[in-house]
Amino acid sequence: MYNITLIPGDGVGPEITEAVVRMLEATGVQFIWDVQNAGEEVYMQEGTPLPDRVIESIKKNKVALKGPITTPVGKGFRSVNVALRQELDLYCCLRPCKSFKGLSLRYDNVDLIIVRENNEDLYAGIEFEQGKPETLELINFLKVKTNKIVRNDSGISIKPISIYGTERIVTFAFEYAKKNNRKKVTVVHKANIMKFSDGLFLEVARSVAGRYPDIEFDDKIIDNMCMQLVQKPELYDVIVLPNLYGDIVSDLAAGLIGGLGLAPGANIGDEYAVFEATHGSAPKYKGLNKMNPFALALSGVMMLKHLGEIQAAKRLQWAITDVLNEGRYLTYDLKPPGTPACTTSEATDEVIRKLKSNVA
Ligand code: NAD
């Protein structure tokens, strides 16, 4: 019996999490779900989108399953997703992207592990709003200290990258490679331009790589990496990136395997883990019962493994794979436009039917 914090999220979050809870329970593993709402509605009711009770629940249970949460664009409250990762020191965002053989997609040979640094970089939340006195003070400081002119009508976001943060994320990537028998780790950066932030990331990565002589190591500049991934993804294995590039490349990699509907993820720290899909809350699809529940279900597979429920994880993975291979119960994102697709509930029921009949 596991106590798990369940954050339904908003947009399509509640319908997807409900589906995944049903699939997880059908494995036979027993859960007590500690349901904790967060996000925009909670902000209206409680004055904060991320009340302390949510953090306390995860600290108590150590593990959470989370639906996506909307972040207002350009204004309003800061991202709950980023805040959770920072508050709980979930420094690694682990996102496997593997092709399912049965689907007819552009690529059938993708098997990537994206390891995204989750706390630093431009996501650190250190921002100076255009026109504010402290922003003008910073602009003046930059002029005096660096002789660089930043226009007075600028907004500024700061990009910190530390030795400590880089060392632990790159070590995570190599340890993951070692434990999972992966052959190569690629570090991604823009060290040619940002010499003191991405340059440091690369330098530290090289020194960590020296401790793992049995694992191949290379580095790629982010723009080249994007092109390489689209042209020949089969050349890559574990990819470790600073936060912003990791966010973007995660979606790129999701696109290679059929879209966000199939891309799982986990935010992992030394003490806590929060399992959530790569995708967001897709608000325009809210309540339509048409989204693909498998990205979060595959995050559920990762959660089962994390809990040590290896057989249940395998069974759920097999059931999802079987449904995808058979191709009869596919949601709209996996079908050609204009062809009939199944609902979230139908795809979920089919996985549960397989789990219960032991077909998988
Ligand atoms: P999104 O991931 O919500 O959706 C982009 C598109 O991908 C959708 O319109 C849909 O076509 C497709 N898609 C996403 N999930 C799918 C699924 N399960 N099945 C089928 N198709 C799917 O990205 P967005 O529209 O840029 O962001 C919407 C909101 O989500 C924003 O407020 C953003 O900040 C937030 N967001 C939250 C998280 C998180 O909670 N961790 C992650 C990313 C984005």
Side-chain angles (χ1 to χ4, degrees):
M1 182 85 78
Y2 297 97
N3 290 299
I4 307 285
T5 301
L6 180 70
I7 306 173
D10 50 35
V12 298
E15 57 206 88
I16 297 280
T17 42
E18 188 263 343
V20 173
V21 163
R22 288 206 290 129
M23 286 186 244
L24 285 167
E25 289 183 345
T27 64
V29 176
Q30 307 228 308
F31 299 97
I32 298 173
W33 302 105
D34 180 2
V35 179
Q36 296 288 340
N37 290 309
E40 199 153 24
E41 272 182 35
V42 170
Y43 178 67
M44 303 295 186
Q45 289 153 10
E46 301 182 41
T48 165
L50 182 60
D52 289 347
R53 58 173 169 75
V54 183
I55 301 287
E56 277 155 23
S57 166
I58 302 173
K59 285 190 172 164
K60 181 161 61 79
N61 297 324
K62 312 275 188 217
V63 176
L65 181 69
K66 175 183 167 296
I69 295 179
T70 307
T71 308
V73 175
K75 55 182 166 52
F77 60 81
R78 285 198 170 273
S79 167
V80 171
N81 311 305
V82 171
L84 257 183
R85 293 165 194 164
Q86 288 177 348
E87 290 254 352
L88 296 167
D89 199 16
L90 304 170
Y91 62 86
C92 172
C93 185
L94 181 64
R95 290 172 163 173
C97 280
K98 189 167 173 17
S99 306
F100 286 92
K101 300 284 179 211
L103 300 172
S104 55
L105 298 165
R106 281 200 181 85
Y107 304 88
D108 59 4
N109 53 355
V110 177
D111 185 4
L112 299 168
I113 304 293
I114 309 291
V115 178
R116 165 189 173 190
E117 198 288 322
N118 229 2
N119 282 348
E120 300 197 317
D121 193 0
L122 284 161
Y123 284 57
I126 310 167
E127 297 206 290
F128 292 81
E129 193 178 341
Q130 183 275 321
K132 285 280 163 74
E134 58 272 23
T135 313
L136 296 172
E137 208 178 309
L138 176 61
I139 289 170
N140 191 43
F141 171 86
L142 292 172
K143 188 174 163 199
V144 172
K145 293 288 179 191
T146 68
N147 217 15
K148 299 268 186 216
I149 301 298
V150 176
R151 287 181 53 95
N152 273 344
D153 59 355
S154 302
I156 299 176
S157 303
I158 303 278
K159 174 178 164 122
I161 289 195
S162 69
I163 294 175
Y164 173 81
T166 306
E167 174 139 351
R168 66 178 178 168
I169 194 65
V170 178
T171 303
F172 186 103
F174 274 97
E175 284 297 316
Y176 182 95
K178 201 164 101 181
K179 281 191 202 107
N180 294 280
N181 209 17
R182 312 285 301 211
K183 305 286 177 249
K184 175 164 126 178
V185 173
T186 302
V187 62
V188 178
H189 59 86
K190 189 84 186 173
N192 49 332
I193 306 296
M194 283 163 279
K195 296 183 190 296
F196 298 151
S197 49
D198 286 26
L200 186 62
F201 195 84
L202 177 59
E203 187 189 323
V204 173
R206 281 186 175 138
S207 105
V208 173
R211 302 205 298 264
Y212 297 88
D214 296 338
I215 298 170
E216 192 188 336
F217 171 72
D218 71 352
D219 76 274
K220 286 276 172 297
I221 292 177
I222 178 64
D223 32 356
N224 181 22
M225 185 79 231
C226 291
M227 192 271 297
Q228 299 262 339
L229 280 176
V230 172
Q231 274 202 322
K232 35 197 171 184
E234 70 281 2
L235 294 187
Y236 296 91
D237 190 343
V238 176
I239 302 178
V240 58
L241 320 87
N243 209 335
L244 177 62
Y245 310 145
D247 193 3
I248 297 167
V249 169
S250 297
D251 274 40
L252 190 160
L256 300 177
I257 58 155
L260 286 165
L262 293 176
N267 301 290
I268 301 173
D270 292 334
E271 286 191 74
Y272 315 111
V274 175
F275 295 83
E276 65 174 338
T278 296
H279 68 75
S281 58
K284 71 177 176 185
Y285 294 96
K286 179 181 172 174
L288 300 182
N289 192 24
K290 68 181 283 187
M291 297 311 263
N292 191 339
F294 291 165
L296 188 62
L298 292 164
S299 313
V301 170
M302 294 172 79
M303 183 179 89
L304 288 169
K305 284 188 191 153
H306 178 85
L307 294 170
E309 294 288 347
I310 306 301
Q311 280 314 314
K314 281 187 180 160
R315 288 178 61 238
L316 181 52
Q317 174 88 38
W318 287 330
I320 294 167
T321 307
D322 234 40
V323 172
L324 290 170
N325 284 344
E326 285 177 7
R328 279 184 299 133
Y329 289 90
L330 299 182
T331 44
Y332 85 97
D333 53 311
L334 301 175
K335 303 281 281 191
T339 55
C342 80
T343 62
T344 308
S345 326
E346 286 164 344
T348 304
D349 291 344
E350 184 60 7
V351 168
I352 292 171
R353 197 185 63 74
K354 285 188 183 295
L355 283 168
K356 295 239 156 116
S357 62
N358 264 337
V359 173

